Amino acid sequence: MAVGASQTKYIFVTGGVLSGLGKGITAASLGTILKARGFSVNIQKCDPYLNTDAGTMNPAEHGEVFVTKDGAETDLDLGHYERFLDEELTRASSLMNGRIYARVIADERAGAYLGKTVQIIPHVTNEVANQILAAGHGFDFHIVEIGGTVGDIESLAFLEAIRQFRRKIGAANTMYVHVVYLPYLEASRELKTKPAQNSVRDLREAGIHPDVIVARAEQPINDHIMHKLSLFCDVNEGGIVAMPTVKTVYEVPLLLEQAGIGDYITDHIGLPKKKANLKEWQRLVDLIKHPDHRSVKIGVVAKYMDNVDTYMCVFEALKAAGWANRIRPEICWVDAEKLETGEATLEGYDGIVVPGGFGSRGVEGKIKAGEYAIENKIPYLGLCLGMQTACIAVARRAGLKGANTTEIDKKTPHPVIDIMADQKDVSELGGTMRLGDYPCNIEAGSASAAAYGTTKIVERHRHRYEFNNAYREQLGKAGLRFVGQSPNKKLIEIIEIEGHPYFVASQFHPEFKSRPNRPHPLFDGFIKALEDRAVPAERPAAKVSAKVV
């Protein structure tokens, strides 16, 4: 469906006071309630970092790297966008400052500016605007989240670009949404609006007057606070949304709809009001907030343990599979390095998940996790590196002493995991990466085929090393089944272990395609394999002291 003369409407989401308020969730939720009205919606993240993409950014510092179907390595907010909108995005939805400057400099070197002095305004800001226009083309609404907070030096060009945007396409086609924080002072038992006021003032100094304010707070926001924000920030009370911390982020679209912000947006844009169909979303939230009282303990053998964002998609995929099967997964982080040294154990867990990662740290612990799952018949789900370490575990159990991946040990006598021969001379980091969607054929009768309900799939990848085909026959005799392969049968995509209740590992990242109301088949199969282990939630905790998500 198209709006009027197919003019895309642009909604810009900015943030102030402090980072981590949930601009991405807000942007995704706005998209959800607009899509529920029958509009076509696209969404884009503008990140102020001077990186050209998120591929080389450390997950411990910035959170997980999300990969789009066309192979873009992006900020984790694109994962939120896909889960909320249930749409597969492309590289156009991720725009980093480094890419903007690289394009402008390349154009300058090519003489595109005809000898003019190249400046932030208009050359950089024009490039930002062009990228936003291109990403929004053909949609009814295009939502653009500006990363960072108002006042950040590196965000200034993005803010100036979206300020100019209203002048370029008209006020009726643009809307500015600003997310702020209201701190609570325990001593006086009151929420304070001054930081929010200052943030709006900073935004207005940049030439942007917000149309909507989303006020985050840890305490209920009363009418007096709403009136005060309206008065001091010069925003209609109908455009101010109280957004308290909720039990699940999937409740945010419902709260925005209850606040009437969907109708407020369409009124501002000049579109007819439409009733939002959020019945399925309401059912999901009801299920999340009132789960059955059965639980399973899942140990996620992790190496990036600095913050919960490092495995966001994995955790959300596990939760989604749990909701669909009326099982509550108690997700615990198990430090791979401590597992390696014997300071941690996997005893007491009903299932084991080994997610992806790069580098040598914690790899031996992940190999031990595979060995433990094999020996104790514990359901196991390996993701990318988790498949590679499982193959190494099988190899070592089969007597291949010193078996390893050449990523860790270039002199290993048994390179079970190795870089492809035609990639060994590529010097650029990332040049040997397999990124984005690739097809896979699954063996009929396998646990994976049963989970998918088909033998032909397409999944997203992000890795450099592959299973070494020289070891297929030997490891096949040791019980490893290569049930998923590339169509030309040169690349191993999924492995299983014969006689195991559920030991499935994939070279791809299935977590990227999971949805809160439609879990990914491999995660669904993993949770189903734990059903017999599910017990009342009040059972004693596992013996391992681990961080619970």
Side-chain angles (χ1 to χ4, degrees):
M1 152 179 186
V3 173
S6 72
Q7 170 61 61
T8 303
K9 312 297 181 179
Y10 292 84
I11 299 175
F12 299 99
V13 180
T14 57
V17 183
L18 48 83
S19 62
L21 288 181
K23 293 192 308 298
I25 297 296
T26 300
S29 298
L30 289 171
T32 300
I33 64 176
L34 290 170
K35 185 178 178 182
R37 284 169 163 74
F39 296 113
S40 63
V41 180
N42 196 32
I43 194 164
Q44 184 179 34
K45 175 71 178 288
C46 291
D47 261 315
Y49 309 113
L50 287 176
N51 304 69
T52 56
D53 60 37
T56 59
M57 299 174 76
N58 191 329
E61 178 180 332
H62 189 67
E64 75 175 356
V65 175
F66 187 80
V67 178
T68 59
K69 65 180 181 180
D70 56 350
E73 295 175 287
T74 76
D75 178 84
L76 61 84
D77 274 321
L78 267 74
H80 292 313
Y81 301 163
E82 287 207 2
R83 284 188 290 274
F84 276 71
L85 293 179
D86 196 11
E87 301 282 354
E88 289 193 290
L89 303 176
T90 67
R91 65 179 63 252
S93 286
S94 177
L95 184 59
M96 283 195 172
N97 231 348
R99 199 164 98 217
I100 293 294
Y101 280 92
R103 176 66 178 270
V104 170
I105 292 170
D107 285 349
E108 185 273 333
R109 291 290 83 191
Y113 301 119
L114 303 177
K116 291 183 178 180
T117 302
V118 178
Q119 298 176 283
I120 302 298
I121 303 171
H123 302 102
V124 171
T125 53
N126 281 350
E127 182 60 31
V128 171
N130 290 339
Q131 295 277 354
I132 292 173
L133 281 168
H137 180 71
F139 293 91
D140 296 335
F141 283 92
H142 184 56
I143 300 171
V144 181
E145 177 195 349
I146 306 299
T149 56
V150 172
D152 293 344
I153 292 174
E154 59 265 33
S155 298
L156 293 177
F158 281 127
L159 293 176
E160 174 60 18
I162 68 172
R163 181 199 69 78
Q164 295 177 19
F165 217 85
R166 174 163 282 184
R167 294 186 62 83
K168 291 180 179 179
I169 67 170
N173 298 315
T174 56
M175 199 163 192
Y176 300 109
V177 177
H178 193 50
V179 184
V180 296
Y181 182 65
L182 306 180
Y184 180 77
L185 292 186
E186 184 64 40
S188 58
R189 296 185 180 181
E190 62 178 338
L191 290 170
K192 306 299 288 186
T193 64
K194 186 62 70 176
Q197 293 176 42
N198 291 341
S199 178
V200 171
R201 181 196 63 202
D202 291 343
L203 187 64
R204 293 175 70 177
E205 286 180 353
I208 298 171
H209 190 299
D211 302 298
V212 173
I213 291 177
V214 176
R216 291 278 291 107
E218 304 299 326
Q219 299 290 332
I221 302 173
N222 59 37
D223 291 342
H224 170 71
I225 294 292
M226 300 286 277
H227 178 72
K228 191 173 181 180
L229 282 172
S230 174
L231 179 64
F232 285 91
C233 298
D234 194 24
V235 174
N236 293 333
E237 285 194 41
I240 298 177
V241 183
M243 190 57 63
T245 299
V246 290
K247 182 177 181 179
T248 170
V249 294
Y250 300 114
E251 193 173 358
V252 175
L254 300 179
L255 294 179
L256 289 176
E257 185 62 27
Q258 290 167 14
I261 207 65
D263 289 342
Y264 189 85
I265 290 173
T266 52
D267 282 347
H268 176 92
I269 296 292
L271 296 173
K273 290 183 180 179
K274 291 186 176 185
K275 187 176 181 180
N277 181 3
L278 290 165
K279 290 181 180 178
E280 185 177 354
W281 209 261
Q282 184 66 63
R283 283 195 295 269
L284 171 66
V285 172
D286 289 342
L287 184 63
I288 295 171
K289 295 177 73 174
H290 307 288
D292 289 347
H293 296 288
R294 293 186 302 154
S295 70
V296 291
K297 290 186 181 295
I298 299 172
V300 177
V301 182
K303 60 183 293 183
Y304 309 117
M305 302 185 66
D306 296 79
N307 64 71
V308 71
D309 289 348
T310 54
Y311 299 101
M312 177 67 73
C313 283
V314 175
F315 296 152
E316 291 303 309
L318 286 170
K319 291 174 185 177
W323 298 328
N325 290 282
R326 304 298 196 273
I327 290 176
R328 181 185 301 152
E330 296 181 35
I331 306 169
C332 304
W333 285 8
V334 180
D335 190 326
E337 288 184 280
K338 290 184 178 179
L339 197 61
E340 183 178 328
T341 61
E343 297 175 71
T345 175
L346 289 167
E347 185 179 351
Y349 289 107
D350 301 307
I352 298 169
V353 175
V354 178
F358 292 89
S360 61
R361 186 170 59 84
V363 166
E364 286 297 325
K366 294 194 172 197
I367 295 171
K368 283 190 175 182
E371 293 173 340
Y372 183 90
I374 296 169
E375 293 167 3
N376 294 278
K377 302 289 186 181
I378 304 295
Y380 176 98
L381 181 62
L383 312 171
C384 196
L385 180 60
M387 187 199 92
Q388 297 176 358
T389 55
C391 292
I392 295 168
V394 172
R396 291 182 182 181
R397 284 171 53 82
L400 301 182
K401 188 176 180 181
N404 214 322
T405 166
T406 53
E407 178 183 9
I408 308 305
D409 182 4
K410 296 189 182 303
K411 296 181 179 181
T412 173
H414 298 290
V416 174
I417 306 297
D418 197 7
I419 202 161
M420 300 293 287
D422 59 352
Q423 296 177 333
K424 289 186 177 180
D425 294 329
V426 179
S427 59
E428 182 181 347
L429 188 64
T432 54
M433 293 281 279
R434 193 147 63 101
L435 291 165
D437 279 359
Y438 285 87
C440 169
N441 295 338
I442 308 177
E443 180 183 310
S446 64
S448 299
Y452 277 101
T454 183
T455 57
K456 294 185 181 298
I457 62 170
V458 175
E459 290 285 358
R460 294 187 207 171
H461 296 64
R462 182 180 184 248
H463 64 97
R464 182 172 290 109
Y465 291 77
E466 307 278 358
F467 178 81
N468 188 342
N469 290 320
Y471 290 89
R472 278 203 198 193
E473 183 178 354
Q474 195 168 0
L475 295 191
K477 291 179 181 178
L480 197 61
R481 293 180 61 195
F482 306 103
V483 303
Q485 300 182 52
S486 59
N488 62 9
K489 298 185 178 182
K490 291 184 178 181
L491 302 172
I492 298 301
E493 296 281 16
I494 308 175
I495 63 165
E496 296 179 7
I497 289 183
E498 292 179 0
H500 197 284
Y502 191 88
F503 195 106
V504 177
S506 65
Q507 184 58 80
F508 50 81
H509 288 268
E511 65 270 23
F512 291 150
K513 297 182 76 170
S514 178
R515 301 290 184 259
N517 54 357
R518 193 177 65 257
H520 188 280
L522 294 189
F523 282 87
D524 189 55
F526 175 69
I527 292 295
K528 279 183 168 64
L530 301 176
E531 282 185 317
D532 291 340
R533 296 171 173 267
V535 298
E538 59 270 13
R539 60 108 174 260
K543 293 184 179 181
V544 180
S545 175
K547 185 176 181 179
V548 179
V549 179

